[in-house]
Amino acid sequence: MVAPKSLIFQLHQYWGVVEQLTRLSREHPAFGLRTLEQVITQYKSKDTDINTVLGSLINAEILQSINRTNDYQLNTLVVDFVRGLTQEHELGLSAVLKARVDAIKHATSQVLRGLEDSDNDLLRSGANQLSELVRKIAQQLSQDKLAIFEIAELAKSADTNVPIERRYREVLEVYDQYVEPMNEMMDSGLGGSFYPLLENAEFTLDRVVEMLSIRGSLYQQRLAIRQIAYQVKDLRYQGRIIAQQCADNLLPLREEARQHNQLSAAISKQISAVRKKGLARGLEGNGLPMWKSGRSTKVQLGNEVRELMAEFINFEPSTIPFPDEEIAPSSPLISWVDEDYLLKQLLNALPIYNLMVWLKDNYQYLPDAELLRLYHELVRDKQWESILSSNVDTTALNTVYVTYYPHEITLLDSSTVVKENVNAR
């Protein structure tokens, strides 16, 4: 037996897992252990073990084992509860709705019998039954409305490459099997049963309130009957609104599917006639329109554009004071270096035991950033061999101190040829 407190607590702890399993239950009535582990891993807390979550859901009877298999299914109470909170309902049966509406007649007759026989117990029982039927009918109508809205949204957002008869198949089935029977039942004429039964129940309850007032019954009893009458009146109004909303959502899609089928059939028939008889005989020129109807188009500015233009007309630029001009210190932005001459000078000075010190001694007038750039480029040059020292050294440049591992520059085996090429340049 389900323990209510434990079930509610586990729903609070693992709501994300249960909500996802409820969504998957539309397509999978049962879940294997592998599927459950994947869902739990994706939606559980980071510091929670998978086996702990699975064991808690099974112990609270949120997950129930299926006989003769190792699979599990969600508790039906949990499914209805979660779908009710997330507003993801399954479409009910129109026959169930019709049976509940017909049961209003029996409950109303029971109220009348209790009033005529002065039997308060029978009157109270019939009124409570009528209230419960009204509540269930209102709940089913609200759930069915949300389910129909979701079906229409899924059909509209489906892949357009799928044929329209497949995309709108569920829409056509829902309209034929639910919306049309519901419209027939809620017809205010002779063919409908919803409005006459509710109107009769409303009239009976008003009569009961009047008779109880004459007899001097308790105020609480009269108040209870009056509240049920208000529920019946509200159900009449809500039923008409919900039926209209469902028809307004599905009817355009249904007509679109039917028109598409008729148009496709006509086009296919005409193409078949052209293929068999040729264009001259298959396509009759008399049936084609030889004129066009003109249609004038007017463009009018909206209120938003008018308000924006009015703001532009009355626009006054704000004055922003500019800062005073300051004299910046003059310093050369570009340091010119004759790199060809530097390479020739470096080759003539090989070997060099510390390239940074050599650059500082020969090109001390250059900025520190330029000296560091030359140092890195010369170290990577392939004309000579660069050897990194294992000892740390510190050299003072113009504005900064540089701590580094010095590079020693020596000649390669073919350095003589390179040196002659540089001298020739």
Side-chain angles (χ1 to χ4, degrees), residues 282-328:
L283 189 62
E284 298 181 0
N286 297 330
L288 297 178
M290 303 304 295
W291 51 272
K292 294 182 179 179
S293 60
R295 184 179 63 178
S296 60
T297 304
K298 296 181 179 180
V299 179
Q300 183 178 1
L301 292 179
N303 294 330
E304 295 83 0
V305 179
R306 292 180 178 179
E307 293 177 0
L308 186 61
M309 295 302 296
E311 292 178 0
F312 286 161
I313 293 175
N314 300 325
F315 174 73
E316 294 181 0
S318 58
T319 304
I320 301 177
F322 284 91
D324 297 334
E325 184 177 359
E326 295 182 357
I327 301 176

Side-chain angles (χ1 to χ4, degrees), residues 332 335 363-372 397-398:
S335 300
Y363 294 92
Q364 190 174 3
Y365 62 91
L366 293 176
D368 295 344
E370 189 68 20
L371 283 177
L372 293 174
L397 301 181
N398 295 328

Side-chain angles (χ1 to χ4, degrees), residues 11 51 60 71 99 124 128 144 169-170 200 211 229 231 251 260 269 315 383 403 420-421:
L11 285 177
N51 295 328
D71 296 340
R124 187 184 311 107
N128 292 335
D144 291 346
R169 179 184 302 166
E170 190 174 4
N200 186 25
M211 293 300 297
Q231 293 177 3
L251 187 59
H260 182 80
K269 182 178 180 180
F315 174 73
Q383 300 184 32
T403 301
E420 289 178 357
N421 293 335

Side-chain angles (χ1 to χ4, degrees), residues 61-78:
E61 297 191 20
I62 295 176
L63 288 175
Q64 297 176 335
S65 60
I66 302 177
N67 295 333
R68 300 181 181 180
T69 64
N70 295 326
D71 296 340
Y72 294 87
Q73 66 179 1
L74 278 175
N75 193 331
T76 54
L77 297 175
V78 175

